[in-house]
Each structure stands twice: as structure tokens, then as C-alpha cells.
Amino acid sequence: MMEGSGSSTKDADPDNLAQKLPNLIELYLHSNNIVIIPEAIGNLVRLQSLDLSNNALQLLCPEIGRLRSLRHLRLSNNQLKCLPPDIGDLHELETLDVSMNQLISLPDRLHRCLSLQNLTADHNLLSHIPRQLCWLHRLNQLSMAANRLTFLPLDLGRSRELQFVFVDNNGDLKGLPSYLYNKVIGCSGCAVSSRVSQGERGEAAGEALSEALVGLPAEVKVVGSETDNVVPLEELAMRTLHRIYHHHPTELNLLPPITLPKSLLDLLQFPLGHCHRCSQAMFTIIYPKLFPLRDTALAGVHRRTTVSFVAYCCSSHCLRTFDLQG
């Protein structure tokens, strides 16, 4: 372990550290006005905890991805505008704190951090959360407060492990996926409605629900409705390919070569969402349904708040038969 402060830590050379302390497990370099982390940081291959918070970092070198034993990475209160995709190589990472930076996006490859349990990205400039993060099946707490979120991934909360979601102070966030219905949620300061009468609820659950009411991912090309029973051919084809890929992967060898645009290949691997009624994967079309508002208990110290939930179904039939209480 190395606890540092002042110029002695600021001028520390990771190359020398790797030579002198090859078994270094914890390295604390917080509050040192550090601007650059040298590439040699990647030589500390046994490192499990790295604290670089409260510095002046503007970039994080890709070599950070070589720290394959890293379990805790703290980067809060810096000047980072992006994270290197190589962070996805940290397969043992359990805690990632990038709050109080200037991030406008999170790397898609973050979903490869399969051990991640706690992700904190409060006080940044994030407009969306990559849907790939829904595949982090060990993620227990996600905090994205004080950003610019307009919607959340349709599958967010589908994993049983995710229990705490904090999206407070995202002024344009108007609804939450119904998979979060029984989770601990913080959403004070968001645009979710807090006063909806009983009569308005029934109407809102039907034709009043639209993209104008609830923010939807830009990838959704068609928003289904109660009267629309025709699923686009593109959607049917994607569902069929996905079913073959996930349930009968050996059959792909019997098919002629399939050439798809990268965007569709990405969708095949990470669907836009799964139907809240039957778990059917969805790719280009959803049928949204607004549910009555309910009180959601926050994490003890906050006041209770009232939020609206939205179910996303794959067909009008699922939409009609879906019951959030069931």
C-alpha cells in the first residue's frame, strides 16, 4: 500500500514503483493536482485499488486497461471528458467512481467489466446510459444524479442484482422503466409528474402516452400503439436471427453468410430491450404503456417521492395483458 500526499506523490514514477514494489496492491494518489498519469501505470499488474480522485486529470491513458487485478478505481472530481474503451478490460473491477467530471458519454465496452457492482457517475454531462450496461448482471448500485438524461435503457433493472438506482436532478427525465418498479429509486428533481388524477391515469395509460410524454431512445424507429398490429419486417427478421443466435447457435453454420450493417449487428448482440410481459427481445419497435404513479422509498435519508413507470412490450397483445402488479 502507498499513501501519498504533496510533491512526493505527484512526482511518483509508476515505472520505479513497479520495480521497487512489484507486489503493490493499493495506491492512493488523491488530492495532488495530478494532470497526467504516465503510461507506466500499466506495469502495476497486481494493483487492486487505485485512487486518483480530486486531481486535475483531463485524460486517462489506455494502459489503465492493463491493470487486470484492479477491483476499485476512483476518478471523481477531475476534468475527464471521456474514458478510454480499455476500461472494459478490467474484468475484476467492482467499484468505479467517475463522478464530478465532464463526461458526455460512457464507453460501450464498460459492459465487459462483468464484476462491476457499484457505478457512480454523478455530476457529469451524460445524456444517455449505454444499453449495454444492462448486461452487467452483478451491478447492485447505479448512480447517475445531476446529469442530462432524457431516458433510461429499457432493460434497466431487469437484473435482480440491481437494487439501487439514483437519477436525481435529471430535469428532462420523464419516466422510468417498469423493471425498476420494486427497486430503491432516487429521482427527485426530475421531470416525472407528481400530480396525476385517477381519471387522467387511465387516459395516460392509453393513447396519451407518446414520445412527447416519455423520453424514448433515439434507436426506436416506431412507437407501437393499441391499433397497430403489424410488426415491421425488419423487427421480425431481427427477432428471428436473435432467437437462432441465442437458442440454436450451431444452426448459424448451416445458414448462408449474413451481412448486416454494424448498427444491426450491435442490436443482435444487445437488443434495445426485452418485453416486460413475455421477455421477447425488441429491436426497432416497442409498445409503451404508462402505469399509475406510486410512492418509491428512497435510501432512508431522502423524502419519499412519486414517480411514473413505463412498460415496454413487444406487441399490442402483451401491452393489453401486462399487469405491473402481477
Side-chain angles (χ1 to χ4, degrees):
M1 180 177 72
M2 177 178 178
E3 179 70 39
S5 61
S7 60
S8 61
T9 301
K10 181 170 63 175
D11 298 331
D13 186 342
D15 251 337
N16 293 334
L17 288 178
Q19 295 172 9
K20 297 178 180 179
L21 300 171
N23 295 318
L24 189 66
I25 293 177
E26 299 181 0
L27 179 58
Y28 298 97
L29 297 172
H30 57 82
S31 307
N32 279 283
N33 200 32
I34 297 174
V35 177
I36 297 175
I37 292 295
E39 298 175 357
I41 192 74
N43 296 332
L44 301 172
V45 293
R46 295 180 183 267
L47 202 63
Q48 294 184 17
S49 184
L50 175 60
D51 190 345
L52 293 167
S53 57
N54 300 305
N55 280 293
L57 293 176
Q58 297 184 17
L59 291 174
L60 193 63
C61 60
E63 284 70 21
I64 201 78
R66 292 167 53 193
L67 303 178
R68 303 302 172 87
S69 298
L70 199 63
R71 296 173 57 189
H72 307 286
L73 177 58
R74 294 176 174 86
L75 299 165
S76 63
N77 197 18
N78 277 284
Q79 301 172 25
L80 297 171
K81 296 183 179 180
C82 64
L83 297 175
D86 308 78
I87 271 189
D89 295 332
L90 303 178
H91 298 165
E92 301 298 321
L93 193 65
E94 298 176 3
T95 302
L96 176 60
D97 186 352
V98 292
S99 57
M100 299 182 69
N101 278 282
Q102 302 170 24
L103 300 175
I104 60 175
S105 65
L106 295 174
D108 290 343
R109 282 175 57 186
L110 195 57
H111 76 273
R112 295 170 56 180
C113 299
L114 296 179
S115 299
L116 196 60
Q117 299 175 21
N118 191 325
L119 174 57
T120 303
D122 301 336
H123 294 275
N124 277 284
L125 306 174
L126 301 172
S127 61
H128 72 286
I129 301 174
R131 67 177 186 276
Q132 289 89 337
L133 296 193
C134 297
W135 287 62
L136 292 173
H137 296 305
R138 295 186 183 179
L139 190 64
N140 177 260
Q141 178 169 313
L142 175 65
S143 190
M144 296 279 177
N147 276 283
R148 299 177 178 179
L149 300 177
T150 57
F151 62 86
L152 298 178
L154 277 57
D155 274 350
L156 191 63
R158 192 165 180 256
S159 169
R160 293 181 180 180
E161 289 299 317
L162 184 60
Q163 293 296 320
F164 303 91
V165 176
F166 300 99
V167 288
D168 307 78
N169 297 312
N170 283 278
D172 294 323
L173 187 61
K174 300 179 181 179
L176 305 175
S178 64
Y179 280 127
L180 295 175
Y181 190 74
N182 293 316
K183 312 292 184 177
V184 176
I185 302 167
C187 61
S188 60
C190 294
V192 291
S193 173
S194 59
R195 294 186 298 274
V196 177
S197 68
Q198 284 294 134
E200 291 172 332
R201 289 177 183 177
E203 180 182 359
E207 59 189 33
L209 182 65
S210 66
E211 190 170 353
L213 178 63
V214 178
L216 298 176
E219 298 163 298
V220 178
K221 299 178 182 178
V222 181
V223 177
S225 68
E226 288 284 359
T227 58
D228 181 6
N229 296 303
V230 180
V231 179
L233 180 60
E234 180 184 26
E235 178 71 19
L236 292 175
M238 294 293 288
R239 291 181 185 180
T240 300
L241 288 174
H242 182 266
R243 195 176 303 115
I244 294 174
Y245 180 80
H246 281 271
H247 298 290
H248 307 284
T250 56
E251 293 185 13
L252 286 179
N253 297 328
L254 305 177
L255 298 174
I258 301 173
T259 302
L260 292 174
K262 183 180 184 302
S263 59
L264 295 184
L265 288 175
D266 290 342
L267 271 179
L268 271 182
Q269 187 175 8
F270 303 104
L272 195 67
H274 288 76
C275 178
H276 288 215
R277 175 66 176 83
C278 71
S279 293
Q280 165 71 55
M282 302 180 295
F283 299 91
T284 63
I285 182 172
I286 62 171
Y287 293 77
K289 178 179 182 180
L290 183 68
F291 278 89
L293 307 179
R294 61 157 285 194
D295 285 334
T296 300
L298 301 185
V301 298
H302 299 291
R303 64 176 177 80
R304 293 173 70 85
T305 190
T306 307
V307 300
S308 56
F309 290 87
V310 187
Y312 303 100
C313 295
C314 66
S315 67
S316 58
H317 172 73
C318 283
L319 186 70
R320 287 191 297 268
T321 57
F322 184 81
D323 182 5
L324 193 61
Q325 303 287 348

